[in-house]
Amino acid sequence: MGTVREATFDVLRRHGLTTIFANPGSTEVSLLTGLPDDLRFVLALHEGSVVGMATGFALGREAPALAVLHTTAGLGNAVGAIATARVNRAPLVILVGQQDRRHLALEPFLAGRLDGLAGDYPVRVDQPVRPQDVPGAVARACHEAVTGRGPALVVVPMDDWDAEWAEDVVAVPARVVRPAGVADADLAPLVTLLSGARAPAIVSGAGADWGSLVALAERLGCPVFQESFGGRAGFPQDHPQYAGVLPADRARLRAALGAYDVVLAVGAPVFRQYPYVPGPLVSPGTTVVVVTDDPSEAHRSAADLAYLAAPAATCTRLSALLPTTPAPAVATRASVPGVGPGGTGPGGAGAGGAGADGVVLPVLPAGGRPLRAAHVLHELALRLPADAVLVEETPSSRPDLHRLVPARNPLGFVSAAMGGLGFALPAAVGLRMALPDRPVVAVVGDGSALYGVHALWSAAHYRVGALFLVLANGRYAIMDRLADQRGGKAPWPPFNEVDLAALARSLGCPARKVDGHTELVAALEEVVPTLAAREEPLLLDVSVTVDPDFQP
């Protein structure tokens, strides 16, 4: 005999969900008061940060994470972060509080109309019919989050937690095994295509497995592109066969892939776009195949052939089945049509000289200021260890980051695949909590940082030693450039008055202002070597000027 609350805690322990990210309200007090010592509570100051931190924690652990939200207000505030978690393939279990079941019919204060509030972004939403169904609903949410690779919600009225638990059965399997094998006969059409290809190419996405994809790419000897706007690097970006990030409009995409007769997208859709440009995705004569374990991704991709299968198992078996004939010549980033050194277009960072490592940078003005984002990212790249986790949310500097800071591990580039702001700061906190021995750096624009600035308090309070590198230009630079392209005047003003360093310090997070090259180098030289063992977060508020050649 016990309570629904105690039975649910047993479910959480069984599934490794012993860290609870939350911003609690009155409907969650009966769950959270007097937690057992083996359950860790992590407070975030906004629900977007709650889900963002849980998302980073899940990505770092490669296992589900747990978040608790407060009825309508909490779930409503977190919808954008829930959408990001879904597109970023992060398995989350989210408990949403509800008013007391015994008078819900009267719609009391804080009663939530929660059904459908998060739209189609949750992989499952469950509102248990009776209190005794809650532990099973939570266990099922764990399985659904992994299978659907996204957030699974369970709505729990506040009185359910104290209800008596005397059940004999939780109607959910204790363990779910997901076989990942793929039959040779099913792969035969793809083996035939790749074996006969004159010039194959691969597009890697967030769902790709690095080890098996590297082996397949090396067997084929072909270039490997990164999907545009992906949530994670799908291939080592310092590999000689890496060809850069695919353009996100159809005209440049056709140019980039025009030389290839078979294009294999692995763990990526076919193909993510941003501005609409008329015309086909690829030129006539190019056959497109997608391999993904995401049904939605498979079903919406404009491919000639789609495999709904585990990418790792598929690529591993393909490598074994393909003949060992001489491979075609590897195309480098500089030689791939339509893709320049940054992988996103024909340019570099602007006019300037090459450094000792051969990287072309904008000319640094006398006195080392004003800095451009390229200067900052170059100095970071020179010092960043290969195992570093890098979280990106700086839209106007993303091309420079792709060009200058190659991902050398699967978490070497993590971004909000949904596109909404407010992901990087809380995600970096969650990632560092999950990976306490790995260096974690968030590279964030000042406009982006303001959407998730609450997470800095959690970083400081829980001694999360991440580095938050803010590229501060005092404006929404990408929006300004889009308005320029439309030929009109942007109605939004700059926000030069905002002081991110002061905001960080007000939230308990140490911070420094950096406005020149000498200060930047000194700060990075001091901080980056400490990141693996660091327990205190640090925000560097780096003043940068907008690159005049930047194109969204």
Side-chain angles (χ1 to χ4, degrees):
M1 188 73 68
T3 64
V4 165
R5 179 177 184 260
E6 291 166 343
T8 302
F9 287 160
D10 287 340
V11 169
L12 297 179
R13 293 183 182 106
R14 191 178 310 133
H15 292 278
L17 296 174
T18 56
T19 297
I20 304 171
F21 297 93
N23 180 266
S26 58
T27 54
E28 295 77 56
V29 168
S30 52
L31 166 66
L32 298 172
T33 300
L35 284 175
D37 291 342
D38 63 327
L39 300 183
R40 175 173 62 157
F41 182 89
V42 176
L43 175 65
L45 303 188
H46 185 273
E47 292 85 356
S49 290
V50 169
V51 174
M53 289 163 62
T55 298
F57 197 68
L59 293 175
R61 294 174 70 232
E62 297 185 341
L66 176 64
V68 175
L69 300 176
H70 175 51
T71 190
T72 308
L75 181 56
N77 283 343
V79 168
I82 288 170
T84 294
R86 175 66 181 275
V87 181
N88 274 60
R89 307 166 180 254
L92 302 182
V93 175
I94 301 178
L95 304 181
V96 183
Q98 174 63 293
Q99 246 285 8
D100 194 303
R101 185 187 292 272
R102 294 167 293 189
H103 67 160
L104 271 178
L106 300 175
E107 292 199 17
F109 180 65
L110 290 179
R113 298 185 181 183
L114 303 172
D115 189 24
L117 182 57
D120 292 331
Y121 290 110
V123 298
R124 178 176 173 80
V125 178
D126 199 347
Q127 301 190 62
V129 175
R130 62 190 186 121
Q132 290 72 24
D133 294 331
V134 169
V138 174
R140 178 168 178 176
C142 296
H143 298 321
E144 296 277 4
V146 173
T147 301
R149 298 177 315 158
L153 275 58
V154 182
V155 178
V156 186
M158 59 193 296
D159 58 310
D160 282 12
W161 299 114
D162 294 326
E164 183 179 282
W165 171 261
E167 303 296 301
D168 297 319
V169 174
V170 175
V172 174
R175 182 177 174 219
V176 175
V177 177
R178 301 169 178 85
V182 56
D184 290 0
D186 292 331
L187 288 176
L190 182 51
V191 171
T192 299
L193 268 175
L194 291 172
S195 299
R198 170 184 49 80
I202 292 174
V203 176
S204 65
D209 167 74
W210 274 36
S212 59
L213 189 58
V214 167
L216 177 60
E218 291 177 348
R219 172 61 65 95
L220 290 170
C222 68
V224 181
F225 297 88
Q226 171 71 32
E227 67 170 325
S228 60
F229 298 107
R232 190 167 68 171
F235 189 81
Q237 295 177 356
D238 58 347
H239 193 283
Q241 289 171 233
Y242 178 63
V245 181
L246 275 186
D249 66 81
R250 298 185 189 191
R252 290 190 300 148
L253 180 64
R254 288 194 299 274
L257 298 179
Y260 307 105
D261 57 342
V262 177
V263 175
L264 174 63
V266 179
V270 177
F271 292 106
R272 293 198 87 187
Q273 301 284 281
Y274 180 33
Y276 173 73
V277 177
L281 291 170
V282 295
S283 301
T286 298
T287 299
V288 177
V289 183
V290 61
V291 175
T292 177
D293 56 1
D294 183 335
S296 174
E297 197 168 77
H299 297 158
R300 73 174 183 268
S301 288
D304 298 284
L305 177 62
Y307 281 86
L308 185 53
T314 302
C315 292
T316 297
R317 195 62 199 139
L318 278 174
S319 294
L321 294 172
L322 286 167
T324 55
T325 52
V330 174
T332 63
R333 271 179 278 182
S335 66
V336 174
V339 179
T344 55
D357 53 3
V359 174
V360 178
L361 295 170
V363 172
L364 188 66
R369 59 175 63 85
L371 291 166
R372 287 198 199 166
H375 299 129
V376 181
L377 295 171
H378 175 62
E379 296 297 343
L380 175 66
L382 291 177
R383 295 161 177 83
L384 203 61
D387 67 337
V389 177
L390 188 145
V391 189
E392 177 273 336
E393 196 169 60
T394 173
S396 61
S397 307
R398 186 177 294 132
D400 281 333
L401 187 144
H402 282 313
R403 183 173 68 90
L404 297 169
V405 193
R408 292 174 286 171
N409 72 83
L411 295 175
F413 174 81
V414 180
S415 187
M418 187 64 199
L421 302 181
F423 170 75
L425 296 190
V429 175
L431 279 158
R432 175 66 177 189
M433 284 183 164
L435 302 167
D437 299 322
R438 295 269 299 274
V440 174
V441 179
V443 179
V444 194
D446 51 349
S448 301
L450 290 171
Y451 283 79
V453 70
H454 328 80
L456 296 176
W457 180 89
S458 301
H461 183 82
Y462 295 103
R463 299 191 61 76
V464 176
L467 172 63
F468 305 99
L469 185 61
V470 178
L471 304 178
N473 54 36
R475 64 192 64 248
Y476 296 123
I478 192 167
M479 295 299 300
D480 293 345
R481 189 53 52 88
L482 288 170
D484 289 344
Q485 291 177 349
R486 298 277 300 178
K489 183 179 184 298
W492 48 85
F495 43 86
N496 294 305
E497 305 88 347
V498 173
D499 187 332
L500 261 299
L503 281 174
R505 287 191 289 268
S506 76
L507 291 164
C509 178
R512 304 180 197 171
K513 297 278 285 186
V514 175
D515 66 355
H517 189 259
T518 300
E519 301 98 309
L520 172 69
V521 169
L524 293 177
E525 289 279 0
E526 174 190 342
V527 174
V528 173
T530 72
L531 288 178
R534 191 179 182 91
E535 293 186 356
E536 184 179 66
L538 177 66
L539 183 140
L540 295 181
D541 184 359
V542 185
S543 298
V544 296
T545 188
V546 178
D547 183 348
D549 299 322
F550 164 66
Q551 296 295 327

